[in-house]
Amino acid sequence: MGPTIMKNASTPSKFEGLVFNNRIWVIGFFIVITLCMIYSVSHLHIDAGFSKLLPLEHEYMKTYVEHRQEFGGANRILIAVMTKEGDIFTPEFFELLKNVTDDVFFIPGVERAQVKSIFTPNVRYTEVVEDGIAGGNVIPDDFRPDPEGFARVRGNILKAGILGRLIANDFSGAIVSAQLMEFHPTTGERLDYVEVAHILEKEIRAKYDEKDINDQYEIHIIGFAKVIGDIADGVARVVQFFGFTFLITAILIYLYTLSFKLTLIPLAASLMAVIWQLGLLTALGFGIDPMGILVPFLIFAIGVSHGVQMVSVAKTRIIAGADGMDAARESFRRLLVPGSVALLSDTIGFVTILFIKIRIIQELAITASIGVAVIILTNLILIPVLMSYLNYNEKYRQRIKTQRRILHPLWNGLAKITTPKAAGVTILMAVLLLVFGVWKATDVKIGDLHRGVPELRSNSRYNIDSDVISSRFSIGVDIITVIVETIPEGCINYEVMATIDRFGWHMRNVDGVQSVVSLPDIAKRINSGWNEGSPKWRVLPRNQHVMVQSVAYVPTSSGLLNADGSVMPVLIFTKDHKAETIEGIVLEVKRFREKYGTDKVKFRLATGSVGVMAATNEEVSASQFPILFYVFAAIIGLCLITFRSIRAMLCVVLPLGLVSILAYALMSMLEIGLKVSTLPVVALGVGVGVDYGIYIFSRMRTFLSEGIPLYDAYRRTLGVTGMGVLFTGVTLAIGVVTWIFSPLKFQADMGILLTFMFFVNMLGALFLLPALACFLVKSKSV
């Protein structure tokens, strides 16, 4: 015998009477709140912050925060001015580079002390002369743009050791580097990275285009702020895709309902849920991050899913001859409990994402949770109230009867999945898919899998700029800085400096490292200079007095040491920020630290943009399984409370688990890395899948509780709920598949993943759930 299945109450409840006896007040309440939310949405703003991406409780980020003020953070922008032909040593190029440097200096939010180019006073050279050591700015005060002056500057560049860092390796361009602050220096508000990106475009790139410099020079800009700006610019196109998806959804809903009014009601209620979500988000003091721009559509999708179920139940009653009020009340009565359970499962599942200590993911969780909670009101209460005002004539009844007759053979055939033979074959196929999914899912990489910024297309302006800079220079924005903490005046201690030098040599030989810059490198160069530039003296002096004269001319503004010489960063520039590159470099740092690190010399990971990525990747890796555990634990708990049966819970949850594993396999096959922007997607996708399962099983158990055999119970379920599930899955999949053509690659990737999850979750609910029920659940014996 299978589990005893609790019978649904079919008598009106007090709550039902309260809602339908006060329909005008209910509608008035929703209208007033919606108007307030529309006003709130008018104040919605893009809220992108670099610190939101940081797992601040991670070991690396504690190092980052502790030393960010002294050595700069990871939020850099690089502006490369490149020649199309020849080299940089022309009066026109130097004038252009100086103007760009000045313009960058005055961009709001730029930390002016950290601006670097050959025209800034913090970029200096040192050399040995007859009287000892001399130094000065790379561009001297008496510089004249003539052959002699350019020759002098070329020599200073080589002496300063900035070839490959601020000057291209082939002298074809120069970089202006700047650090951005987290807050605006004038207003004290969080820095608007979208505005910074627009300034970079309008006041740097476009400004000099107007001077007709394109025939000779070109400008390339990279950095976090520029990424956010490019994504924000793509949001307008994202809205267009959302509009297209809305139109497709509306057309397909009409083909399903055969009624303009029944089409409008679930669309309006789902759109209202999105408005409430965004309005509440603004009221709570949040903005919307460009990475979270897809969440409102997910809320719309979940809303449409529940709305279509309401319409499906109403259509069944309309065919039976019920009027608008009876059909609406039956929908409300039948779906309030299962719909609430499904939405509460979604909400609790999303809330569990808050356990990941990365603010941007926590904001995604809050945004999604608010939206799903709102759907309980807009779709489970408002839709049936609005439907109660509709009247249906005999002509409409005949149209939906004809539709049902056409689909009747399909339901009869699909119901055969509940026979033992068909169910066994289905479960066997599911097991094979599970084995394949687990095999491929183990290949999912943490982090980025490609060069450039994966959120943008490979042919985007940003990624083209990034390729140019990484190919012409030995640096880019991809840098991981290892902070070496030692004793005061450790910079003149041979043992300390030799250990750091050994570390630098070790890291230079690690695959994926482009170049390494550290204080011992400079000290060896200066020591050689003190000895007539002889290469054999390019070593660290063991005599402390000689060591003092080797490091005395290295200022703290170089970022290579602090004031008392107790902290010395080692700058490791990487070839890219692929997951395997970061993992390999971090592993080698840890190996060296374990072998050579002491209480006197501590190697601490990590600052720099790649250091942030390393911390984020490790946090995502540690969180991916707990987050799925929390989501499924919430769904399992609510299913057990609702159905009071372990077997019934398994029928709903097992298909969800299979689809989640297959989603990871798909990510592996499409080379989509698991990172901050993709981690919540699987959890969010489960939110739609659980709705399918709960609605189908809830309706099927009603028939089973009446003693109806499983085959007939499922066939009748398909005629009511199954049709809505099938329609919703196909509609939402068709809607999001258009995202593949989005200019934002991360939206295109999400379009593929969501299309897969919408469609395959639907298949799991229609095929695997009843197949499992064949062996786990039987009708009530009476």
Side-chain angles (χ1 to χ4, degrees):
M1 291 294 294
T4 300
I5 305 178
M6 186 178 66
K7 186 175 182 177
N8 281 341
S10 60
T11 56
S13 64
K14 291 182 179 180
F15 182 61
E16 179 184 332
L18 178 65
V19 171
F20 285 91
N21 292 334
N22 298 277
R23 291 181 296 169
I24 297 297
W25 289 104
V26 170
I27 294 173
F29 167 78
F30 278 97
I31 291 175
V32 170
I33 298 299
T34 301
L35 291 174
C36 293
M37 291 299 105
I38 290 174
Y39 173 77
S40 182
V41 170
S42 67
H43 295 86
L44 184 68
H45 62 283
I46 298 292
D47 181 21
F50 184 76
S51 62
K52 291 164 61 174
L53 298 172
L54 308 182
L56 294 174
E57 295 185 9
H58 193 279
E59 170 199 349
Y60 304 168
M61 292 302 92
K62 290 179 180 179
T63 304
Y64 169 84
V65 172
E66 185 177 337
H67 295 285
R68 174 172 55 184
Q69 194 67 32
E70 194 166 26
F71 297 110
N75 191 2
R76 294 201 305 161
I77 55 172
L78 296 181
I79 302 171
V81 183
M82 308 297 299
T83 62
K84 293 184 177 180
E85 294 181 359
D87 58 31
I88 64 174
F89 299 107
T90 64
E92 295 79 13
F93 182 89
F94 271 53
E95 181 184 2
L96 173 60
L97 181 62
K98 185 178 186 306
N99 291 336
V100 171
T101 303
D102 293 341
D103 288 344
V104 170
F105 190 80
F106 290 104
I107 292 176
V110 165
E111 195 166 341
R112 295 179 177 178
Q114 296 288 340
V115 176
K116 290 184 179 180
S117 86
I118 58 174
F119 279 96
T120 56
N122 55 3
V123 178
R124 298 173 60 83
Y125 72 94
T126 56
E127 64 176 334
V128 177
V129 294
E130 293 179 357
D131 298 329
I133 292 288
N137 296 338
V138 171
I139 305 292
D141 294 336
D142 58 350
F143 169 73
R144 302 175 73 87
D146 53 31
E148 182 180 344
F150 288 132
R152 187 177 172 191
V153 170
R154 181 191 287 266
N156 292 346
I157 288 171
L158 297 174
K159 296 169 190 173
I162 57 173
L163 188 65
R165 293 168 56 198
L166 291 178
I167 301 296
N169 289 309
D170 58 357
F171 291 100
S172 63
I175 277 179
V176 180
S177 170
Q179 293 276 353
L180 291 179
M181 296 181 285
E182 188 69 19
F183 297 94
H184 197 288
T186 304
T187 64
E189 298 178 354
R190 187 178 297 277
L191 189 62
D192 186 344
Y193 292 107
V194 177
E195 180 185 358
V196 172
H198 289 164
I199 291 174
L200 289 171
E201 282 294 329
K202 294 177 182 178
E203 299 188 12
I204 302 292
R205 203 189 312 256
K207 176 180 178 180
Y208 294 106
D209 283 349
E210 293 174 0
K211 292 186 176 181
D212 298 324
I213 65 166
N214 272 342
D215 292 339
Q216 296 179 316
Y217 310 112
E218 55 189 12
I219 293 178
H220 305 277
I221 307 172
I222 60 175
F224 175 76
K226 192 66 179 64
V227 172
I228 294 299
D230 287 359
I231 292 176
D233 290 341
V235 166
R237 293 286 300 277
V238 171
V239 173
Q240 293 176 12
F241 278 98
F242 285 174
F244 187 65
T245 301
F246 182 89
L247 180 62
I248 291 177
T249 304
I251 292 172
L252 293 177
I253 290 179
Y254 178 77
L255 294 176
Y256 172 66
T257 63
L258 303 177
S259 166
F260 175 76
K261 294 177 181 178
L262 280 179
T263 299
L264 187 61
I265 288 174
L267 285 175
S270 301
L271 193 59
M272 182 182 292
V274 174
I275 292 172
W276 282 34
Q277 174 199 32
L278 297 177
L280 288 171
L281 202 63
T282 305
L284 293 173
F286 293 98
I288 188 164
D289 192 278
M291 298 297 183
I293 199 70
L294 304 182
V295 175
F297 175 77
L298 284 176
I299 298 306
F300 177 76
I302 294 173
V304 167
S305 174
H306 289 271
V308 168
Q309 291 300 325
M310 283 285 180
V311 173
S312 295
V313 175
K315 285 175 66 179
T316 302
R317 294 296 300 157
I318 293 167
I319 290 175
D323 60 14
M325 175 63 78
D326 288 341
R329 294 186 75 140
E330 179 71 11
S331 296
F332 180 87
R333 191 179 309 133
R334 291 287 184 186
L335 298 183
L336 180 63
V337 173
S340 298
V341 170
L343 290 169
L344 283 174
S345 298
D346 300 346
T347 303
I348 294 174
F350 298 154
V351 168
T352 59
I353 304 177
L354 289 169
F355 287 102
I356 300 178
K357 302 300 182 182
I358 300 177
R359 186 181 164 193
I360 189 171
I361 292 183
Q362 292 176 330
E363 289 187 6
L364 285 175
I366 292 171
T367 305
S369 300
I370 291 173
V372 174
V374 164
I375 291 175
I376 296 177
L377 298 176
T378 60
N379 287 54
L380 300 186
I381 295 178
L382 181 60
I383 285 180
V385 168
L386 292 175
M387 288 196 304
S388 69
Y389 284 96
L390 301 182
N391 293 313
Y392 309 99
N393 54 35
E394 188 60 28
K395 183 178 179 181
Y396 180 69
R397 287 188 174 89
Q398 291 303 319
R399 290 169 64 191
I400 57 177
K401 283 181 180 179
T402 302
Q403 184 188 61
R404 176 161 290 194
R405 278 197 304 270
I406 294 172
L407 293 172
H408 191 70
L410 175 62
W411 304 144
N412 288 340
L414 188 55
K416 292 179 181 178
I417 201 77
T418 58
T419 61
K421 182 177 180 181
V425 172
T426 302
I427 293 174
L428 177 61
M429 292 177 63
V431 171
L432 294 176
L433 285 174
L434 177 65
V435 172
F436 172 78
V438 171
W439 171 54
K440 295 301 294 184
T442 55
D443 294 333
V444 171
K445 302 295 184 182
I446 308 297
D448 297 332
L449 303 186
H450 304 283
R451 294 173 64 92
V453 175
E455 286 77 14
L456 302 172
R457 297 282 188 181
S458 59
N459 60 351
S460 67
R461 181 64 183 263
Y462 184 94
N463 282 330
I464 291 173
D465 287 352
S466 180
D467 287 343
V468 170
I469 291 175
S470 62
S471 64
R472 299 287 188 90
F473 295 82
S474 299
I475 67 168
V477 291
D478 293 333
I479 175 176
I480 180 170
T481 302
V482 178
I483 301 295
V484 182
E485 296 178 347
T486 182
I487 57 176
E489 297 185 350
C491 61
I492 58 174
N493 182 292
Y494 174 78
E495 180 183 351
V496 171
M497 291 286 280
T499 302
I500 298 174
D501 186 46
R502 186 182 299 116
F503 173 69
W505 179 87
H506 178 81
M507 295 311 299
R508 284 187 184 91
N509 291 278
V510 173
D511 187 40
V513 172
Q514 192 169 22
S515 62
V516 177
V517 178
S518 66
L519 182 62
D521 297 331
I522 309 301
K524 289 191 292 183
R525 188 180 301 125
I526 294 176
N527 187 52
S528 173
W530 278 111
N531 292 275
E532 299 179 347
S534 173
K536 68 180 182 180
W537 285 98
R538 198 162 185 161
V539 295
L540 290 172
R542 295 177 180 270
N543 185 291
Q544 190 173 60
H545 296 292
V546 180
M547 182 74 81
V548 168
Q549 70 178 7
S550 296
V551 301
Y553 292 91
V554 182
T556 56
S557 62
S558 66
L560 297 178
L561 76 166
N562 66 346
D564 66 354
S566 62
V567 179
M568 288 165 279
V570 178
L571 284 61
I572 303 172
F573 294 93
T574 64
K575 294 179 180 178
D576 52 58
H577 53 257
K578 294 180 183 179
E580 57 186 11
T581 301
I582 297 175
E583 185 178 355
I585 291 173
V586 169
L587 179 62
E588 289 300 325
V589 172
K590 290 180 177 179
R591 284 178 177 172
F592 188 91
R593 180 173 64 184
E594 290 175 4
K595 187 173 183 179
Y596 296 103
T598 63
D599 292 338
K600 190 176 181 180
V601 184
K602 299 177 182 178
F603 295 88
R604 293 184 60 186
L605 287 159
T607 71
S609 59
V610 174
V612 171
M613 293 178 193
T616 303
N617 290 351
E618 291 186 10
E619 187 71 22
V620 168
S621 179
S623 302
Q624 60 170 322
F625 295 114
I627 196 176
L628 287 176
F629 172 80
Y630 296 144
V631 170
F632 277 94
I635 293 173
I636 289 170
L638 283 171
C639 286
L640 288 174
I641 292 172
T642 304
F643 300 127
R644 301 179 184 179
S645 165
I646 293 177
R647 295 183 180 184
M649 176 272 295
L650 290 174
C651 289
V652 175
V653 172
L654 289 180
L656 291 177
L658 174 61
V659 175
S660 296
I661 292 172
L662 291 176
Y664 273 86
L666 182 66
M667 291 175 65
S668 173
M669 295 169 64
L670 297 179
E671 296 187 340
I672 300 174
L674 194 63
K675 49 186 292 186
V676 169
S677 59
T678 56
L679 178 62
V681 171
V682 177
L684 295 175
V686 170
V688 177
V690 73
D691 298 344
Y692 298 152
I694 288 177
Y695 275 127
I696 285 182
F697 192 87
S698 178
R699 188 64 171 170
M700 188 169 66
R701 78 168 184 171
T702 302
F703 295 126
L704 290 172
S705 66
E706 297 172 359
I708 299 173
L710 180 61
Y711 172 82
D712 292 324
Y714 187 55
R715 180 176 55 81
R716 294 174 65 175
T717 298
L718 289 172
V720 183
T721 304
M723 186 174 179
V725 168
L726 175 62
F727 165 81
T728 303
V730 172
T731 299
L732 295 180
I734 292 175
V736 297
V737 78
T738 60
W739 295 6
I740 295 173
F741 305 102
S742 170
L744 300 180
K745 189 175 185 300
F746 87 96
Q747 187 195 5
D749 291 340
M750 295 308 98
I752 295 171
L753 286 176
L754 290 175
T755 298
F756 176 83
M757 297 199 73
F758 287 157
F759 191 75
V760 179
N761 269 318
M762 177 266 292
L763 295 179
L766 291 177
F767 288 89
L768 185 55
L769 187 153
L772 292 168
C774 177
F775 297 103
L776 296 176
V777 179
K778 298 184 184 302
S779 62
K780 181 179 179 181
S781 62
V782 289

